[in-house]
Amino acid sequence: MRYLLLIYENEQAFGGLPEAEQGQIFGEYMDFSRSIRQSGNYVTGEALQPTTSATTVRVKDGKTLATDGPFAETREQLGGFYLVEAKDLDEAIKLAARIPAARTGSIEVRPIMPTPPVD
Amino acid sequence: MDFESLYRDERPRALATLIRLLGDFDLAEDALQDAFAIAIVDWPARGVPKSPRAWLVSTARHKALDRLRRARTLNAKRDEIARTVETVVAPAGLDEEPFTDDLMRLLFTCCHPALSPEAQVALTLKTVCGLSVEQIARAFLVPPATMAQRLVRAKGKIRDARIPYVVPSAEDLPPRLQGVLRVVYLVFNEGYAATTGASLVRGDLCVEAIRLGRLLRELFPASGEAEGLLALMLLQDSRRTARTDAAGELVTLEDQDRSRWDREEIAEGVALAEGALRRGGALFYPLQAAIAALHAQAPRAEDTDWPQIAALYALLLRLHPSPVVALNHAAAVAMGERLERGLRLIEQLEQDGALASYHLLPAAKADILRRMGRREEAAAAYERALRLVTHEAERRYLGRRLREVGGAP
């Protein structure tokens, strides 16, 4: 079963860290990604640009409405994600707990809903 | 034949095994219900089968198949379940061990940390204890529809997020077992000291919790925490009927008629607490059970070994720090005739702010001030406690105390 691990963190706090520390955390992410590739859990994963670059889009009465900023202003922001393959929620939780941001922010674990393939 | 006790004894393990075989909580519950409906007619006429549990599982398995066939919406998932069910070993091959393993699986799944505490409690009472949705709703003072919704959502999460039906690995077992014990103690406390509503004691929940406590001790004989929790619940439950007077008013530990305490529960609780403590380790429930045992063993309130209780709370506070334990520690210090020091500890807690909305903080402070003869300050603290209390019987108790120190509620 596939799970999406959403990485929430205070992006300002991260941006405020000294460069050396940011580099160290980046290295931890590289190690984690490599490790879950080897174990066969990795499907895909990306880091996101900060929410200052986010645009939220809605269509109301056929009109497209684009507004500056993320969907919701929260204390922690979506900063990236992994899509992983895990046998059950317990394994997915164990993977989520190894993401560096689990110590400073939070990881939301969402099972992927099975849908028929698109031709 | 005592069908009711047979139902109570056989149901949890039979259901746990059916859930594993069928992979579906609702189907397993419905099919087992069908099997019991047959048994209630069949057994008095033809005698109880040699292994009632195996009979129930086997019969329920066939009933589940019937239900699956009847359901016209036989999709791939249901076909798969039906195939699994058909290939299951014959009931003769079912011995005790898999039943017990399945019951552990059921407990750990119902008490999985990915479910909300309310859902864990509801699911445990529904599946392991076999209470109806209406009974659980009444015990937790919510409308039946709300409780039903809570259960549907919990079962949905188990299915959709794939919460596994397994006993955790040796490495994960201690924290997960602690989670199961917490659920059982939540059930007990809900029965022992209802947080809202008019009835102080909803004893049925205490009875269910103690039954679960016995089950956990049987399933995890090596766990000092499980032994300690059962001891703690028995010792608290021994005072249950003495906690309220004829008019339904709250009677504090100090003023209780100790001849009304249940001696049998005390004897069993004390023996279990001693056994659990002897195992050693930084154990949460055995320490609390030891404190409860000291209260239970005092012939009169004035005989209570407060210095020993304060020392146990100090140890508990060091091993498992929490503001509520700190408050209990402060109160025990004060009761050991060190009123000034107890008061200072409580004032530290007030500054700390973690218990700002907890009525027992000003209530404990008021109690110490009253004992020190500082009536005006005591009255002010009782008034603060009265503003925070939600329980009717406790409100009336605090009101009586306030009048004693010359205040007007």
Side-chain angles (χ1 to χ4, degrees):
Chain A
M1 178 136 140
R2 285 184 305 163
Y3 294 85
L4 186 62
L5 311 181
L6 297 155
I7 302 166
Y8 285 90
E9 221 181 351
N10 185 321
E11 59 192 19
Q12 278 182 338
F14 184 82
L17 290 176
E19 214 166 293
E21 252 178 84
Q22 286 192 8
Q24 195 203 323
I25 293 169
F26 186 72
E28 285 180 41
Y29 273 98
M30 297 298 283
D31 290 345
F32 173 70
S33 300
R34 207 171 296 125
S35 154
I36 64 170
R37 250 181 239 272
Q38 276 164 11
S39 62
N41 295 107
Y42 181 89
V43 180
T44 186
E46 298 290 354
L48 303 179
Q49 294 283 6
T51 49
T52 46
S53 65
T55 308
T56 300
V57 178
R58 293 178 185 84
V59 176
K60 290 256 162 68
D61 302 321
K63 277 203 210 78
T64 300
L65 215 71
T67 49
D68 178 43
F71 162 65
E73 298 285 352
T74 46
R75 206 170 51 80
E76 291 175 333
Q77 295 80 30
L78 181 63
F81 67 89
Y82 283 99
L83 184 65
V84 297
E85 181 69 46
K87 73 174 191 317
D88 55 35
L89 183 63
D90 282 356
E91 189 183 7
I93 289 173
K94 281 205 156 71
L95 291 170
R98 287 166 55 200
I99 297 177
R103 298 194 305 266
T104 48
S106 27
I107 314 295
E108 184 176 329
V109 180
R110 296 286 297 271
I112 300 292
M113 189 190 283
T115 45
V118 182
D119 303 325
Chain B
M1 182 182 55
D2 181 0
F3 199 83
E4 203 182 300
S5 69
L6 211 138
Y7 174 85
R8 207 170 47 221
D9 295 344
E10 299 299 337
R11 193 190 156 284
R13 281 178 173 80
L15 179 65
T17 296
L18 280 166
I19 291 173
R20 176 171 56 79
L21 297 179
L22 304 172
D24 185 311
F25 274 69
D26 291 328
L27 181 62
E29 284 180 83
D30 290 345
L32 185 58
Q33 218 52 51
D34 292 345
F36 272 114
I38 296 172
I40 207 162
V41 181
D42 202 58
W43 293 1
R46 292 204 278 175
V48 179
K50 203 159 82 228
S51 169
R53 198 178 300 157
W55 185 95
L56 285 167
V57 169
S58 161
T59 307
R61 200 166 55 95
H62 289 296
K63 286 288 145 192
L65 270 178
D66 289 349
R67 280 177 176 269
L68 288 172
R69 289 201 192 99
R70 266 202 313 272
R72 293 234 175 90
T73 55
L74 269 183
N75 53 31
K77 166 92 172 114
R78 298 233 145 187
D79 280 346
E80 186 193 309
I81 296 174
R83 267 198 306 280
T84 328
V85 174
E86 271 162 352
T87 54
V88 157
V89 286
L94 294 173
D95 55 15
E96 186 58 32
E97 208 172 295
F99 282 119
T100 297
D101 286 355
D102 284 339
L103 187 52
M104 289 193 214
R105 289 189 183 97
L106 178 58
L107 274 163
F108 282 114
T109 304
C110 290
C111 302
H112 196 280
L115 300 170
S116 72
E118 296 81 23
Q120 293 178 36
V121 165
L123 210 51
T124 303
L125 288 172
K126 177 75 168 53
T127 59
V128 184
C129 303
L131 299 192
S132 69
V133 173
E134 288 72 24
Q135 284 172 311
I136 306 169
R138 215 177 308 128
F140 287 88
L141 308 166
V142 299
T146 307
M147 187 52 76
Q149 191 57 38
R150 195 176 290 173
L151 285 160
V152 166
R153 216 176 289 146
K155 288 173 188 171
K157 177 152 189 192
I158 291 172
R159 186 184 59 239
D160 297 337
R162 197 177 288 178
I163 291 180
Y165 199 60
V166 293
V167 177
S169 64
E171 159 201 325
D172 295 334
L173 190 71
R176 291 289 308 278
L177 178 57
Q178 209 66 9
V180 175
L181 296 173
R182 191 164 44 236
V183 165
V184 174
Y185 198 40
L186 273 176
V187 171
F188 182 84
N189 275 322
E190 190 64 33
Y192 193 68
T195 48
T196 51
S199 157
L200 192 64
V201 171
R202 279 171 288 164
D204 287 354
L205 285 178
C206 295
V207 173
E208 290 300 337
I210 289 173
R211 193 176 288 143
L212 282 169
R214 290 190 191 285
L215 176 67
L216 289 171
R217 183 167 138 65
E218 184 192 318
L219 291 175
F220 303 96
S223 165
E225 290 287 19
E227 191 173 25
L229 175 61
L230 179 58
L232 176 60
M233 292 192 296
L234 285 167
L235 288 164
Q236 290 185 325
D237 196 60
S238 73
R239 304 195 285 264
R240 179 150 56 99
T241 50
R243 288 183 81 226
T244 43
D245 64 15
E249 294 294 307
L250 178 75
V251 185
T252 57
L253 189 54
E254 196 179 355
D255 297 326
Q256 282 171 22
D257 173 2
R258 295 184 177 221
S259 71
R260 289 176 65 198
W261 290 2
D262 186 324
R263 294 290 138 194
E264 254 177 65
E265 281 189 317
I266 291 175
E268 191 188 356
V270 167
L272 284 166
E274 283 170 354
L277 277 180
R278 267 199 303 275
R279 294 165 187 261
L283 299 181
F284 183 60
Y285 292 112
L287 278 174
Q288 294 185 70
I291 293 166
L294 284 172
H295 283 299
Q297 286 169 311
R300 297 169 305 165
E302 53 269 39
D303 301 324
T304 309
D305 188 350
W306 285 108
Q308 179 74 12
I309 289 174
L312 285 168
Y313 271 124
L315 187 59
L316 193 59
L317 191 57
R318 215 180 62 219
L319 301 171
H320 304 275
S322 89
V324 173
V325 172
L327 174 60
N328 283 321
H329 173 243
V333 167
M335 288 304 288
E337 296 311 319
R338 291 157 73 199
L339 292 168
E340 284 285 354
R341 183 162 152 63
L343 185 62
R344 274 204 307 280
L345 288 171
I346 285 193
E347 282 165 352
Q348 274 170 26
L349 272 168
E350 282 180 328
Q351 281 164 19
D352 190 42
L355 296 176
S357 57
Y358 190 49
H359 68 282
L360 289 181
L361 179 61
K365 185 180 185 183
D367 210 46
I368 296 173
L369 289 165
R370 177 176 60 83
R371 285 171 203 276
M372 293 169 95
R374 290 157 67 172
R375 292 164 62 98
E376 273 175 37
E377 291 162 87
Y382 279 126
E383 279 165 9
R384 272 201 305 283
L386 275 163
R387 278 197 294 274
L388 295 171
V389 72
T390 54
H391 196 283
E392 272 313 310
E394 285 188 76
R395 179 188 305 283
R396 288 193 297 273
Y397 168 79
L398 289 167
R400 286 198 302 278
R401 283 294 194 205
L402 177 56
R403 282 190 295 277
E404 268 178 47
V405 293

